Amino acid sequence: MPPANSSAESRRLLTPATIPAALEAQAAGARLLAGGTWLMRSALRDEPLTGAFASLHAIPALSRLDLTPEAAEIGAAVTHARLAEALAGIPELAPLAVAAGASANPGVRRAATLGGNLCATEFPAADLACALLALEADVDLERLSGPGRVYMAQFLARREALLPGALVAGVRIPRRAGRLGAHVRLPLRKAGDYPVAIVSLTAEVADGRLSRPVIAVGSVEPVARRWAELEAALDGVSLDPAAGASAAAGLLSSFSPREGIEAPGWYRAEVLPALVRRALAALEASA
Amino acid sequence: MSAPDPAAHVLDLPRRDARDKLTGATRYTVDRMGAGALHAAILRATGPAGRIVTLDLAPALSMPGVRGVAAAADAPGLHGIGVADHPLFARGHVRQPGEPLAAVAADTLDQARAALKAIVVEIDPDPACLTLDEAVAPGARLVHPDWRDYATLVEGGNRRDNIAWEARVDRGEVDAAFADPTMRIVESAYEVGRQSHVPFEPRAAVARWEDGRVHLECSTQAPWTVRRVTAEVMGIAPSQVRVTVPPVGGGFGLKFDCSIEPIAAILARKTGRAVALELSRAEEAASCLCRENARIRISSAIDPQGHIAARDAEVLMDCGAYGGEQVFLTTMTAHTLGGNYRLGAVRLVTKAVYTNTPPNGAFRACNGVYCTFALERHTDEICAQLGLDPLEFRRANVVGDGDIGATGQVFRGNVLGEMLERMEDASVPVLPALSGTLPDGRLYGRARTVGTWFVFVGPSSATVHLHDDGSATLVTAGVEIGSGSMAQGLPQIVAAQLGIAPDKVVVRQADTDASGLDMGVGGGRTTVSLGAASLEACAAVRAQLLEAAAEMLQTPASGLILRDGRAEIAASPGAGVPIPELVGRIQASLGPVAGHGAFTAPGEPAMPGCTAGHFIEAIDIPVHAVHEAEIALDPDTGHVEVLAYRVVQDVGLALNPRAVRGQIQGGVAQGLGYALHEEITHDAAGAIRQTGFETYRIPGALDVPRVEAILHEGGPSIGPLGIKGAGEVPILNVPAAIACAVANAGGVRVGALPLTPPRVLALLRGRGGRD
Amino acid sequence: MIRLRVNGEPLALDLDPMTPLVDLLRRDLGLTGAKAVCREGFCGACTVHVDGEPRLACLTPAGLVDGREVVTIEGLGRNAPPSVAPVDDAALPTALQRAMLEEDAVQCGMCFPGMVMALAPVLEAEPSMDREAIRRAMTGNLCRCTGYERILDAAVLALRPQQEAAE
């Protein structure tokens, strides 16, 4: 029987009922625990799992999922499974619904949370982070000094600096009627593994033309980011998947793709045009 | 008396172990590790090579909960197949990353692991040979500088430097054929990676020292091998080792060798306590005795009539730091790379090469799988270069009745030819040509490949006891690893032979104290070798029954049959005597009723003088397969989807057709993993990088199509009732069929496995075969 | 102290709250039906039900099942603890398990407890599922022996009475 319960006596699990209580626990040294799908694999990464933990599951505010005409406000403890179910069929939120419904596998989706996906800084293949970037979400952070809100792009770029002493409470996604979106991921098997590359995309589509496209790329580099050059290239052009793919193929040099055990860096970049084409085709289908 | 007709044994008998497996009640070895046992953990080397300067175990002994430690001094013997080169714990030198240095037994696993950290280790690193190229380069550093000192267990293999073993076939005038200007010469080269078995139950053992002997309860396919090797490395008598085997949660060849069991045994002896040892998943993966990586070079001289006048091939097999199964497997290239087709002349040189990497082992059809890949890709390259139709070429050249194999053995029956015809009849392809474009834009490819493997026959014994309640007990050292041989095949044989219901046949769990010698469950041998022994045991029981019945019924034994739990007069159904009554009568006069049977390989002869370093001369039971794959290739991402998969398998007689079909579906799935998804690579220190399910991708439900299977019966077999092993061979042709289909779809020369999306995209975009 | 019900039985356990649930079950309660195969959420062999929902017991800290109802393969479909239930060797508790037996789906068996625990509630919730939908639902349950088709055959067979009744 090989459980790795090292220093069991030193581990404690707290269940704060409020955000301030969770922040207090964190200030006292506790690590925040959401769905557990990242932390519980610490042993596999040779990382110690010791000390105190504060579970976020008992804080009602973190489990909110409010859809108003203006915005979707989603608590950090909402699971992928619940997100996928709640957002199904809302065209402007499609990237998040697809990301939440296709990541990992059903068992993981029932446990893994939105907050966990945003806070796992060592996890480059986070589907939700990429989708939220394309949806131009804001991230709500709570600190003992008070709440704050940062743009998703800013959050991802500066996570290491922002997260100490902070708790990700959730995200706010602006809902813009008429905006459509798509999320395309490329696992190496049909399903069940992490994608080697992700393209998440939103845009307005009018008279067959794209306007103000927002394109996020995940898993290619260590952190998901927007593809500004392609956004500029596609703004105002007609929605043409093949042409979009060609444009993407000419703009790959801005990526510094990561080498991984599962796929070489060149591959992650070289499949992006195909993913862009699929994303645009999905957009076309939903238009 | 006449023995029951082979057809009387055929039945889709359900598995007797399925109910408990479906309710979680089955207790595998890993489910038996609680209850007062100490827990063991292994300290492993981190680097690939070096001299052990310090290994101080004393600090571990004073750690909390520690009851015992073990290291090289506790395991004096070396073990191996062909060459005894393998210590249980590194001794003086480290030769591979992950090599066991010491082991600790403690009250809890956490304590054992904590104590490992207290052991003081200092290793002076040596330069390492991590690849085949490095190992065979002139002047390469020797993995085993003292290789000459190792005991050679089999004679005839050429050994030198980093070549652990070399086997050769030389038949006919190969050089003359290649020099003949009328010949067309086709040359190919291939490279394959390792494949990890990933049995869901890792290797595990619980050891107890009882009455001066060790009792090992372990997850193994080969209890008699564990018995022998444990004794060898501990320096005790084999009779001091008892091995029993609970249900095994998957083996696929990994558990055909002894590996961790002696560590548990030594710690049990030193502590006087039960010791449980279970490999963590990462440890299991990093120390997996994989299907080896290999390089194959193959050339053929094709005569103007389109026949293979000569074949010349060299295979380099990476055995890792210790020879293991690869030493034996150097023999098998003769029957795979040199198989399938008639060859005018043949030269095959196969080398098992030492590298400073984790040792490899046996995996379902072993090197047959990649040799079939290489041979069938080469065959398609011959056809492409000479403008021949690949299906016609195969029809014209496969071995048929009276043809000789690479080592000169004579094949009987036109088995492969008939199987190709059956595949032709069964095939309803998506597109008529072998390549094309699908409506969705993906590239289409189809290929049909042939394969030849064998049944690894060898010693087995069986005892059958028949009781006065009408039930029988079958005692063997056979293990149920999931294939159904013990749960379905053997009870079917015994039941049919004795005329009783299969549920009246109790199959005893493997116990080396109760059974005779057995080579183990693997190589497709279980139902064949154990079946033959069981059949002979039943014959002895039948003779006793029928003699007694003849007397009771006043009818000659030749007119009696055993059926429905009775001995009956064949000509007058209903006239007879119940078996319990017969057994009771015999018990009263002669004692309890039992029979014993024994079997071993008859040893099919080869042409004298054409082999060197071979462990077997020829194959006693050839098993053939014809596979057809249809695939769709995404030119943008390199993803391969299997659209359809068809198998015609040479089964001899399908004892349990439903179970055979289940083996084919599962074996093809595993082959698809090897062909498309499963890749093992090393880091700069030679350690396996894929140590979990995230990075080592076995196929999921969405990745495996339904396999259409045709069971080809009637091919000659010396197996009991004409059966052949059915569980090993389904994997044989899969990478071959997939690789040939991918080559057809993409119009590319496929020279390496696995065909992961990055490798396929690299091929399509001219980036070369390897990443 | 962690208080929970396992297969209907109330328990109070004093143990490390970050212990994976699968170890609590296997090591502390001797319920070895759930298998700790990959310990990273990829194989599904450790699937159990927590408050009726399939969960990966390898990734679930024991502390998070405090106050919850856990059902393992040993307790699936059994209203009473097994020790109280009448002995009936023939009965398998769910249609899925019965169909797996009938289809000769099992080989080594290590993945089956998790396969059953993951699939049975899905089939119950969506009895109209077709073969491909079931296949997608099996994404998180790997099998190394069978090649999955017999498992799919069994799931389809298990749903057949309800699907025929609905027609």
Side-chain angles (χ1 to χ4, degrees):
Chain A
M1 207 92 346
N5 302 334
S6 44
S7 49
E9 65 288 346
S10 70
R11 300 204 296 203
R12 286 181 305 133
L13 181 62
L14 312 167
T15 50
T18 65
I19 289 173
L23 286 166
E24 296 284 359
Q26 189 184 32
R31 293 178 73 182
L32 301 180
L33 171 71
T37 57
W38 183 260
L39 275 190
M40 291 298 284
R41 290 183 289 162
S42 296
L44 302 172
R45 300 187 295 268
D46 287 327
E47 294 167 7
L49 191 64
T50 53
F53 299 84
S55 169
L56 303 179
H57 74 274
I59 304 173
L62 299 184
S63 294
R64 76 189 192 285
L65 205 161
D66 299 326
L67 294 171
T68 67
E70 293 76 37
E73 297 198 337
I74 302 161
V78 172
T79 63
H80 287 57
R82 194 169 150 225
L83 254 186
E85 196 179 329
L87 302 186
I90 303 175
E92 71 272 21
L93 298 177
L96 191 57
V98 172
S103 68
N105 63 57
V108 168
R109 294 198 291 269
R110 276 189 286 270
T113 64
L114 177 137
N117 208 252
L118 294 183
C119 294
T121 53
E122 303 300 313
F123 180 46
D127 275 283
L128 300 191
C130 192
L132 290 168
L133 202 49
L135 287 164
E136 298 180 280
D138 295 322
V139 180
D140 288 323
L141 293 171
E142 294 278 354
R143 285 198 174 73
L144 283 172
S145 55
R149 179 169 283 183
V150 293
Y151 296 132
M152 186 66 202
Q154 202 180 1
F155 171 78
L156 286 178
R158 298 183 49 228
R159 264 188 304 193
E160 266 89 355
L162 288 169
L163 283 176
L167 181 158
V168 171
V171 296
R172 181 185 183 280
I173 306 166
R175 294 180 69 179
R176 303 192 179 101
R179 235 177 134 71
L180 301 174
H183 182 86
V184 177
R185 60 202 302 280
L186 192 70
L188 291 175
R189 285 173 299 194
K190 278 282 180 59
D193 45 296
Y194 297 131
V196 293
I198 308 169
V199 168
S200 224
L201 177 158
T202 63
E204 278 125 51
V205 182
D207 302 327
R209 305 190 89 76
L210 292 167
S211 92
R212 227 181 59 73
V214 177
I215 302 168
V217 174
S219 197
V220 173
E221 295 180 342
V223 183
R225 69 158 166 97
R226 290 197 24 192
W227 193 350
E229 300 89 338
L230 188 61
E231 290 176 0
L234 298 186
D235 198 3
V237 306
S238 60
L239 201 181
D240 178 344
S246 299
L251 296 170
L252 297 176
S253 59
S254 73
F255 288 97
S256 304
R258 64 190 175 95
E259 298 295 323
I261 295 175
E262 72 283 16
W266 68 263
Y267 181 78
R268 299 179 198 277
E270 212 155 302
V271 296
L272 286 177
L275 301 194
V276 167
R277 189 177 62 234
R278 289 177 195 179
L280 290 172
L283 212 63
E284 199 172 30
S286 62
Chain B
M1 82 181 161
S2 62
D5 189 55
H9 301 71
V10 175
L11 181 67
D12 280 338
L13 181 69
R15 295 183 70 105
R16 51 184 57 201
D17 56 353
R19 197 176 297 276
D20 277 9
K21 286 178 171 177
L22 285 166
T23 57
T26 300
R27 293 182 71 234
Y28 303 85
T29 301
V30 291
D31 300 326
R32 296 165 184 252
M33 315 202 91
L38 301 177
H39 295 270
I42 301 170
L43 180 70
R44 294 174 181 277
T46 50
R51 189 175 60 86
I52 301 173
V53 180
T54 309
L55 182 67
D56 185 3
L57 307 176
L61 277 169
S62 55
M63 290 289 285
V66 171
R67 305 289 171 176
V69 297
D74 301 298
L78 297 173
H79 66 105
I81 296 169
V83 184
D85 60 2
H86 199 168
L88 187 65
F89 293 105
R91 181 181 308 169
H93 289 269
V94 165
R95 297 190 173 85
Q96 53 144 133
E99 180 151 19
L101 298 171
V104 173
D107 292 342
T108 71
L109 185 59
D110 295 328
Q111 289 171 335
R113 287 180 175 165
L116 294 182
K117 296 197 171 86
I119 295 174
V120 180
V121 187
E122 192 187 341
I123 293 172
D124 186 14
D126 284 328
C129 285
L130 298 182
T131 65
L132 288 169
D133 281 339
E134 288 169 18
V136 299
R141 193 186 165 278
L142 297 188
V143 176
H144 293 267
D146 300 330
W147 62 270
R148 287 183 183 83
D149 299 341
Y150 296 142
T152 304
L153 311 174
V154 173
E155 294 306 316
N158 189 355
R159 300 168 54 222
R160 61 185 184 280
D161 302 332
N162 282 328
I163 310 298
W165 196 269
E166 179 183 296
R168 294 182 65 95
V169 179
D170 290 279
R171 176 170 66 72
E173 301 299 321
V174 172
D175 292 328
F178 275 89
D180 181 339
T182 68
M183 298 288 170
R184 298 283 300 273
I185 310 298
V186 178
E187 298 180 345
S188 309
Y190 303 97
E191 184 167 9
V192 296
R194 296 187 184 191
Q195 185 184 19
S196 186
H197 312 67
V198 197
F200 274 25
E201 182 188 36
R203 282 166 288 170
V206 184
R208 294 176 180 80
W209 193 262
E210 297 164 341
D211 300 327
R213 306 170 70 216
V214 65
H215 174 195
L216 278 163
E217 196 174 28
C218 54
S219 186
T220 183
Q221 296 171 238
W224 277 85
T225 302
V226 172
R227 178 184 185 267
R228 175 176 55 76
V229 173
T230 300
E232 276 170 12
V233 300
M234 291 178 74
I236 60 177
S239 60
Q240 281 179 281
V241 184
R242 176 191 179 196
V243 180
T244 61
V245 190
V248 173
F252 317 117
L254 172 63
K255 300 169 182 172
F256 201 61
D257 209 345
C258 177
S259 57
I260 63 157
E261 296 86 351
I263 296 177
I266 290 166
L267 288 168
R269 185 188 200 180
K270 292 187 89 166
T271 61
R273 298 271 303 273
V275 173
L277 173 59
E278 174 187 351
L279 296 187
S280 72
R281 183 53 59 182
E283 224 178 349
E284 175 76 324
S287 69
C288 179
L289 304 167
C290 291
R291 190 194 309 280
E292 68 280 3
N293 54 303
R295 288 220 319 260
I296 303 105
R297 183 191 57 70
I298 177 169
S299 307
S300 297
I302 309 298
D303 70 17
Q305 290 72 45
H307 296 128
I308 309 159
R311 171 155 292 160
D312 184 13
E314 183 189 55
V315 183
L316 298 184
M317 303 166 51
D318 188 345
C319 54
Y322 299 101
E325 194 75 25
Q326 277 59 44
V327 168
F328 167 81
L329 290 171
T330 56
T331 295
M332 288 310 298
T333 56
H335 309 291
T336 52
L337 213 51
N340 292 351
Y341 303 106
R342 286 189 308 277
L343 306 174
V346 57
R347 174 166 59 223
L348 288 167
V349 179
T350 307
K351 298 167 184 168
V353 180
Y354 288 127
T355 60
N356 291 112
T357 63
N360 290 308
F363 190 146
R364 202 176 199 167
C366 297
N367 56 350
V369 184
Y370 64 75
C371 284
T372 302
F373 153 72
L375 175 57
E376 290 300 274
R377 280 292 307 127
H378 178 64
T379 302
D380 273 7
E381 288 182 8
I382 290 172
C383 295
Q385 290 184 31
L386 274 55
L388 305 171
D389 178 82
L391 300 182
E392 277 309 317
F393 182 87
R394 286 175 171 85
R395 269 194 208 105
N397 285 290
V398 292
V399 289
D401 193 37
D403 289 336
I404 60 168
T407 63
Q409 85 174 100
V410 180
F411 282 89
R412 286 172 283 272
N414 290 314
V415 184
L416 267 175
E418 288 168 17
M419 290 169 67
L420 277 168
E421 293 310 315
R422 291 193 73 177
M423 180 62 89
E424 181 66 28
D425 294 342
S427 176
V428 186
V430 174
L431 293 184
L434 292 181
S435 62
T437 303
L438 294 164
D440 63 10
R442 288 185 296 171
L443 307 173
Y444 169 83
R446 172 158 50 93
R448 193 177 295 171
T449 61
V450 297
T452 303
W453 188 238
F454 78 138
V455 177
F456 195 10
V457 284
S460 282
S461 88
T463 303
V464 171
H465 300 274
L466 187 62
H467 312 295
D468 64 7
D469 60 358
S471 71
T473 306
L474 172 66
V475 182
T476 72
V479 175
E480 179 53 58
I481 63 171
S483 67
S485 294
M486 304 304 294
Q488 293 163 307
L490 291 184
Q492 281 180 228
I493 290 175
V494 172
Q497 286 289 314
L498 301 183
I500 60 178
D503 65 5
K504 295 280 189 197
V505 180
V506 174
V507 177
R508 196 208 197 286
Q509 186 191 61
D511 181 346
T512 55
D513 275 8
S515 74
L517 173 67
D518 194 277
M519 208 170 73
V521 170
R525 67 181 302 280
T526 315
T527 317
V528 171
S529 297
L530 284 162
S534 300
L535 205 65
E536 191 178 299
C538 286
V541 172
R542 286 169 53 80
Q544 293 174 67
L545 286 181
L546 292 170
E547 189 185 324
E551 195 183 313
M552 280 178 79
L553 299 170
Q554 292 297 299
T555 305
S558 60
L560 299 177
I561 58 168
L562 300 174
R563 70 180 166 212
D564 302 332
R566 298 162 61 81
E568 293 191 336
I569 299 169
S572 342
V577 54
I579 285 173
E581 193 183 322
L582 265 181
V583 173
R585 207 176 157 100
I586 300 169
Q587 276 179 186
S589 56
L590 299 169
V593 178
H596 179 71
F599 179 81
T600 195
E604 177 78 16
M607 194 178 282
C610 72
T611 65
H614 279 220
F615 285 69
I616 56 171
E617 290 269 293
I619 48 182
D620 291 292
I621 304 180
V623 184
H624 301 293
V626 176
H627 286 204
E628 180 170 85
E630 295 184 76
I631 64 106
L633 173 53
D634 187 329
D636 294 324
T637 65
H639 281 68
V640 174
E641 182 184 2
V642 183
L643 303 173
Y645 204 94
R646 302 179 188 92
V647 171
V648 179
Q649 186 167 315
D650 166 29
V651 297
L653 172 84
L655 201 54
N656 185 321
R658 188 170 65 163
V660 171
R661 289 174 192 281
Q663 286 300 302
I664 291 174
Q665 176 73 36
V668 169
Q670 237 170 31
L672 291 176
Y674 183 39
L676 294 171
H677 307 287
E678 299 176 25
E679 178 152 44
I680 294 281
T681 54
H682 296 137
D683 65 17
I688 288 172
R689 297 206 297 170
Q690 291 77 6
T691 55
F693 278 50
E694 179 185 336
T695 45
Y696 193 74
R697 295 176 305 278
I698 66 171
L702 289 160
D703 303 304
V704 182
R706 172 181 284 281
V707 176
E708 300 167 41
I710 292 171
L711 311 184
H712 183 76
E713 296 193 305
S717 172
I718 58 148
L721 313 165
I723 62 175
K724 298 188 176 191
E728 177 152 273
V729 85
I731 197 172
L732 183 71
N733 300 34
V734 184
I738 295 294
C740 291
V742 167
N744 287 340
V748 289
R749 211 170 159 172
V750 173
L753 293 176
L755 292 165
T756 58
R759 180 166 287 129
V760 172
L761 196 66
L763 277 174
L764 292 176
R765 301 202 171 164
R767 282 174 173 269
R770 291 197 72 88
D771 296 343
Chain C
M1 192 67 79
I2 295 165
R3 289 167 213 283
L4 75 166
R5 293 173 78 88
V6 177
N7 298 335
E9 193 181 339
L11 296 168
L13 300 166
D14 185 12
L15 80 161
D16 167 23
M18 293 302 283
T19 302
L21 175 58
V22 69
D23 292 330
L24 180 161
L25 296 169
R26 290 175 55 82
R27 183 192 58 198
D28 299 311
L29 302 181
L31 293 168
T32 55
K35 307 300 182 196
V37 173
C38 78
R39 290 185 177 270
E40 53 180 322
F42 280 90
C43 76
C46 66
T47 306
V48 298
H49 297 170
V50 177
D51 291 347
E53 196 182 55
R55 300 300 291 237
L56 298 166
C58 66
L59 298 183
T60 306
L64 288 192
V65 294
D66 188 35
R68 309 283 198 100
E69 174 89 40
V70 175
V71 173
T72 69
I73 186 74
E74 289 92 343
L76 179 70
R78 300 182 197 277
N79 294 323
S83 55
V84 180
V87 174
D88 181 359
D89 283 344
L92 280 167
T94 66
L96 177 62
Q97 287 160 299
R98 292 191 291 274
M100 284 171 162
L101 188 71
E102 194 170 330
E103 294 287 351
D104 197 35
V106 178
Q107 290 188 25
C108 96
M110 283 286 288
C111 72
F112 274 83
M115 198 71 82
V116 168
M117 295 304 280
L119 270 185
V122 173
L123 300 185
E124 195 178 318
E126 287 183 66
S128 63
M129 284 178 111
D130 65 9
R131 192 178 183 91
E132 291 314 301
I134 298 165
R135 204 188 275 278
R136 285 193 296 277
M138 283 164 60
T139 297
N141 290 88
L142 296 174
C143 172
R144 191 54 161 164
C145 295
T146 67
Y148 303 101
E149 283 297 309
R150 295 269 173 92
I151 299 171
L152 281 161
D153 291 344
V156 169
L157 179 66
L159 287 178
R160 191 169 297 157
Q162 291 164 79
Q163 294 188 349
E164 280 173 358
E167 273 168 14

